[in-house]
Amino acid sequence: MSCLFCKIIAREIPANIIAEDEHCLAFRDINPQAPTHVLVIPKEHVASLNQMTDPALGGRVLAFARDVAAAEGLAERGYRVVLNTNAEAGQTVFHLHAHVLGGRAQGWPPG
Ligand code: 5GP
Ligand code: ZN
């Protein structure tokens, strides 16, 4: 298995895991871009949103991201959930992941 995030799921690579259920895992980004920067991933390997065939998987990732944001104290003040898909969006790890970013004001449009 060559996928970095599958290795984190399998505990073959360490990560700061903050939440987990049957379907999803949440861990802190190694290179945080905001005071809270958590990655939420499905335990099933899906390379990107382009390969996501089961909409329920996307719904579970999104609901998990919301729950992580709430647990981080961001529900009321606000947060951003980002899924980078392929080259122009800057995707570097090809296991679908939602970035949960918060704890500071964020500009729009994104870079
Ligand atoms: P992408 O650019 O694909 O949307 O996001 C990949 C994210 O994974 C980046 O924010 C990067 O910092 C993070 N990342 C890459 N390798 C690791 C790692 O080994 N551990 C953790 N926790 N995050 C990683
Ligand atoms: Zn994977």
Side-chain angles (χ1 to χ4, degrees):
M1 180 217 306
S2 61
C3 171
L4 176 66
F5 287 175
C6 282
K7 287 179 177 163
I8 287 177
I9 293 164
R11 269 55 170 191
E12 290 172 13
I13 289 176
N16 189 346
I17 293 168
I18 61 166
E20 176 173 24
D21 73 3
E22 185 187 350
H23 298 290
C24 296
L25 187 72
F27 54 96
R28 298 200 188 278
D29 197 291
I30 204 166
N31 182 24
Q33 302 301 312
T36 291
H37 188 173
V38 174
L39 301 175
V40 174
I41 64 175
K43 289 187 172 177
E44 177 185 329
H45 179 86
V46 174
S48 84
L49 193 56
N50 287 341
Q51 283 79 31
M52 191 199 73
T53 53
D54 179 6
L57 182 146
R60 286 193 290 264
V61 168
L62 202 55
F64 210 84
R66 173 206 58 204
D67 292 346
V68 164
E72 294 286 307
L74 298 170
E76 297 307 321
R77 61 187 292 192
Y79 59 94
R80 189 169 288 173
V81 177
V82 175
L83 281 97
N84 295 325
T85 302
N86 277 350
E88 286 198 355
Q91 185 177 6
T92 58
V93 178
F94 287 85
H95 180 128
L96 190 152
H97 51 281
H99 297 257
V100 180
L101 296 150
R104 64 168 171 82
Q106 295 175 51
W108 192 265

